[in-house]
Amino acid sequence: MVQRETWATRTGFILAAVGSAVGLGNIWRFPFVTGEGGGAAFLFVYLLFIALVGFPAILAEFVVGRKTKRNPVGALKEYGGGIWTYVGGIFIVTGFVILSYYSVVAGWFIRYTLEGFRGSYAARIAAYEGDPEIMFGALSTGLDAFVLHTVFMALTVGIVALGIRQGIELAVKVMVPAIILLLLGLAVWAFTLPGSGGGYAYYLSPDFGAITENWAELLPAAAGQAFFTLSLGMGVMITYASYLGEDRNLASDGTAIIGFDTGIAFLTGLVVFPIMWAGDMTDPGEGGAGEIFVALTQAFAEVTGGQFLGLLFFATVSLAALSSAISLLEVVTSYVIDEKGIERWQAAVGMGGVIYLLGVPVTYDLIFLDLLDLFADAILLVFGALMLTILVGWIAPKAAIDELEKGIGPLDGLGQAWIWAIRVPILIVLVISLYLGVVDYVEFLTGPFAEWIDANL
Ligand code: PHE
């Protein structure tokens, strides 16, 4: 048995977990899903979900990972036995699906970085009939998207092949502070724009009537986004916690990770919505996958120093995407290394190659983005999280509490409260979310996707 690596520094784990959590989910996905959910109403449900479900769920992954010190498949096999091995297998599939399109979207960020090297964003937009939407349409599919998907995947494979310590910890240390600084600067700037006020109202003052009316759409969307952004429901946090020493306080590490991740998503909203309103774009539900690109290139076209700032912003997000992609591939790779006894670099290259191919159709038409993204977060991640709550809450609660107490001390009633939260209310919420997510997905398959097939094949 090979000696398992552990994190080089105490902060290494937090940084890597934050690096996994903070990524396209916060900066690309959060604003447009919030837009589709009607702004503040979505934000409200989402924040509730993070606090009441996300926190207990991240602890569940931590205890399973640290206790078993295995990859997700091995961890579930050891922790639950029998049929749980197959649940771990679903985690691996989820990693495949998410990383495949994640890499394409990350490629767009690289592309927008490169645009900043070619000229000012105003000039770049002018090259596309002066319309940032046309620009996004041109850059998001086709040869360019394909090439940058290839580049991004190659980078991800390279870092994972190098191994956990040298690759991951180093890369993350610089990125997270850089993102926070950039977003803060942009948020302050957005505040000074004339006309931005409507954006704040849209984003921050929830209409509770809309929440009760639309809960059947809001709930699965918020659940999917919450798990996606926290990297939960597919074993990333199991894998990362498996490299963790027993002296760590999992509850405070979990709080820090969630705090960073949620703060960054929230801040992104404070950048995007005011900028959109200032630019007279007051229907964020329409923007879809291109929303952030359209809103921000518009912004960078107008501000002084926009070329430099924009370049810096898109580059930083590309890096944040890289640290998340690394974690996705790490799950898949650590599984193949541990369970099949294959060398790290071979595992990374082989698995990365298959994932890369799965993502190629997305560079052809964005309908495949919806096909993969909806399936992954409204179904696979919620299912994964549900399975973990059953495992930790019902199958082996005692072991979970014992593990959580290592590094914290006796929890007394709190441990029980955690288990009972997982056992009943969270389990029910997840079952309902999963059901609604499946309904939504079937609607997508029989609606937009079927139409696309008719029109194109
Ligand atoms: N949390 C990452 C993001 O927000 C995406 C991700 C999901 C990474 C699941 C790993 C696992 O971009």
Side-chain angles (χ1 to χ4, degrees):
M1 179 96 194
V2 202
Q3 164 88 43
R4 223 177 144 74
E5 289 179 273
T6 53
W7 298 103
T9 61
R10 285 176 78 83
T11 45
F13 164 71
I14 297 220
L15 283 171
V18 168
S20 167
V22 174
L24 302 179
N26 311 59
I27 287 153
W28 163 69
R29 202 168 187 284
F30 174 75
F32 85 79
V33 182
T34 303
E36 284 165 4
F42 178 86
L43 180 67
F44 182 79
V45 179
Y46 165 76
L47 290 178
L48 268 187
F49 205 95
I50 293 273
L52 300 179
V53 180
F55 181 65
I58 207 170
L59 292 184
E61 289 207 18
F62 284 169
V63 294
V64 171
R66 192 175 64 178
K67 179 158 181 55
T68 56
K69 309 228 175 328
R70 307 284 296 276
N71 70 86
V73 178
L76 291 206
K77 185 157 57 174
E78 189 178 318
Y79 202 92
I83 194 161
W84 290 96
T85 318
Y86 299 101
V87 176
I90 292 178
F91 289 175
I92 306 300
V93 173
T94 310
F96 265 79
V97 175
I98 295 184
L99 184 53
S100 69
Y101 67 86
Y102 203 87
S103 167
V104 177
V105 177
W108 300 343
F109 278 93
I110 300 181
R111 180 58 213 251
Y112 273 76
T113 312
L114 297 178
E115 287 296 296
F117 282 104
R118 298 177 73 182
S120 72
Y121 285 94
R124 296 316 304 152
I125 295 175
Y128 297 93
E129 302 172 38
D131 184 344
E133 283 183 49
I134 296 182
M135 177 174 171
F136 175 74
L139 300 185
S140 57
T141 50
L143 186 62
D144 287 63
F146 172 76
V147 170
L148 290 166
H149 168 50
T150 313
V151 169
F152 185 82
M153 214 45 220
L155 285 172
T156 307
V157 167
I159 294 183
V160 171
L162 283 177
I164 192 127
R165 199 174 292 178
Q166 304 140 359
I168 305 177
E169 283 184 41
L170 267 176
V172 175
K173 279 190 182 140
V174 194
M175 291 191 261
V176 173
I179 292 189
I180 296 176
L181 281 181
L182 273 169
L183 284 174
L184 273 176
L186 283 170
V188 171
W189 171 76
F191 182 73
T192 66
L193 293 177
S196 61
Y200 296 101
Y202 174 81
Y203 182 44
L204 298 175
S205 63
D207 165 2
F208 290 97
I211 297 178
T212 38
E213 229 166 79
N214 301 328
W215 70 274
E217 284 96 54
L218 288 177
L219 184 65
Q225 174 61 19
F227 291 135
F228 186 89
T229 192
L230 294 177
S231 305
L232 282 181
M234 55 146 300
V236 165
M237 295 301 169
I238 294 181
T239 308
Y240 276 11
S242 76
Y243 303 110
L244 202 58
E246 295 192 337
D247 54 338
R248 294 297 301 196
N249 179 333
L250 296 178
S252 63
D253 285 2
T255 310
I257 293 160
I258 292 183
F260 272 114
D261 187 74
T262 309
I264 290 177
F266 182 71
L267 205 50
T268 308
L270 286 180
V271 174
V272 171
F273 295 113
I275 288 179
M276 288 183 81
W277 256 258
D280 250 349
M281 293 177 274
T282 52
D283 194 358
E286 290 293 285
E291 186 169 297
I292 180 103
F293 296 97
V294 172
L296 289 188
T297 35
Q298 188 95 298
F300 293 131
E302 281 166 33
V303 302
T304 27
Q307 182 174 357
F308 175 70
L309 282 179
L311 209 154
L312 203 63
F313 179 82
F314 289 121
T316 316
V317 178
S318 308
L319 282 176
L322 191 58
S323 65
S324 303
I326 290 165
S327 71
L328 284 158
L329 189 58
E330 177 63 26
V331 168
V332 178
T333 306
S334 72
Y335 159 69
V336 187
I337 298 171
D338 284 0
E339 305 293 308
K340 310 278 174 213
I342 296 178
E343 298 250 345
R344 173 169 277 272
W345 76 268
Q346 286 173 330
V349 172
M351 297 294 106
V354 179
I355 294 170
Y356 165 74
L357 291 180
L358 187 62
V360 169
V362 178
T363 67
Y364 173 68
D365 194 301
L366 294 191
I367 191 85
F368 293 103
L369 178 67
D370 289 334
L371 186 73
L372 295 168
D373 181 50
L374 262 181
F375 181 55
D377 54 65
I379 299 180
L380 290 174
L381 291 180
V382 179
F383 176 79
L386 175 64
M387 289 301 122
L388 267 160
T389 60
I390 295 176
L391 180 63
V392 168
W394 290 100
I395 311 283
K398 176 84 178 62
I401 297 182
D402 288 350
E403 186 64 38
L404 189 59
E405 285 181 336
K406 290 181 192 156
I408 304 184
L411 286 166
D412 303 317
L414 280 179
Q416 286 297 328
W418 171 55
I419 290 296
W420 277 103
I422 288 181
R423 271 193 183 164
V424 185
I426 292 180
L427 194 130
I428 293 173
V429 169
L430 291 182
V431 170
I432 297 172
S433 303
L434 182 59
Y435 168 75
L436 295 170
V438 172
V439 171
D440 279 356
Y441 196 60
V442 171
E443 258 164 35
F444 167 77
L445 288 180
T446 53
F449 191 63
E451 278 158 31
W452 186 89
I453 297 273
D454 274 349
N456 288 278
L457 297 181

